[in-house]
Structures are given as structure tokens and as C-alpha cells.
Amino acid sequence: MLEISTGKVVRVIALTREYGPDSVKLADYISGLNDDEKLNLVALMWIGRGSFEPEELEEAKEEARLEASAPTERYLSGIPSLAEHLEDALDKLGIDVTDEEDDL
């Protein structure tokens, strides 16, 4: 089960596209998420880039928990295709974000 709202994921995508994955605005936003939301964001990114399959979401979240050695915002800032990976993950999971995108 995904433990981050689609609105927050869409916000990360929008901030990444507008300011880049290494922006202070994106880092500040991600650092304000709770630990479960951060783990879910990393798991989504991994699913989007193909490291895990959509049905392996729980496994990806556990791996994110075990592998966490740096702040999430620092880890994700090093991924140039972050927005695309997150979009791909939402698509693979069959999550429609049209309403959240319209709200931005």
C-alpha cells in the first residue's frame, strides 16, 4: 500500500521539473515529509526506473528502509530523471493523478 498521497508525489514531480532535482526548494519539500512518505518516494522512484516491479512495492519500501544511509533529499537530488521515474511508477501502479495535476 502506498503511504504517500499522490498529491505529494505530484508536487515532487512539479518541483523537480521546475527547479531541477538538486534544487533547494525540492530538498526542503522532501525533508518536510515524514519517514514513511520518504521511504515510499524512494520505493516509487525505484519502481519507475525498473529496479522493482509494481507488485514488489512492499519489498521496495523495506529495501529503502534498510538501505537508507543518507538523507532522502540528498539521495534523490542525485537522480537527474527523478520526475520521469516517479511518473513511470505512478503509471505502472495504475494511479491516475489528473486531479492532483489540475490542482497545481
Side-chain angles (χ1 to χ4, degrees), residues 51-72:
S51 299
F52 289 87
E53 295 300 319
E55 59 273 8
E56 298 174 318
L57 176 61
E58 295 305 317
E59 182 182 334
K61 290 191 305 188
E62 182 59 25
E63 188 70 21
R65 184 180 325 280
L66 295 172
E67 295 285 326
S69 60
T72 305

Side-chain angles (χ1 to χ4, degrees), residues 5-25:
S5 73
T6 53
K8 289 181 179 181
V9 178
V10 168
R11 183 78 177 141
V12 170
I13 292 168
L15 287 169
T16 303
R17 290 203 185 285
E18 187 169 349
Y19 300 105
D22 59 348
S23 75
V24 171
K25 289 187 184 228

Side-chain angles (χ1 to χ4, degrees), residues 48-97:
R49 77 174 183 195
S51 299
F52 289 87
E53 295 300 319
E55 59 273 8
E56 298 174 318
L57 176 61
E58 295 305 317
E59 182 182 334
K61 290 191 305 188
E62 182 59 25
E63 188 70 21
R65 184 180 325 280
L66 295 172
E67 295 285 326
S69 60
T72 305
E73 58 274 15
R74 189 172 348 142
Y75 172 65
L76 294 178
S77 73
I79 301 172
S81 300
L82 177 61
E84 291 81 9
H85 291 325
L86 292 173
E87 285 179 335
D88 289 347
L90 292 172
D91 187 50
K92 288 177 180 181
L93 290 166
I95 298 172
D96 181 14
V97 295

Side-chain angles (χ1 to χ4, degrees), residues 33-49:
L33 299 174
N34 70 40
D35 290 342
D36 286 335
E37 291 170 328
K38 291 175 185 178
L39 290 174
N40 279 262
L41 197 58
V42 171
L44 281 173
M45 189 277 299
W46 287 344
I47 289 170
R49 77 174 183 195

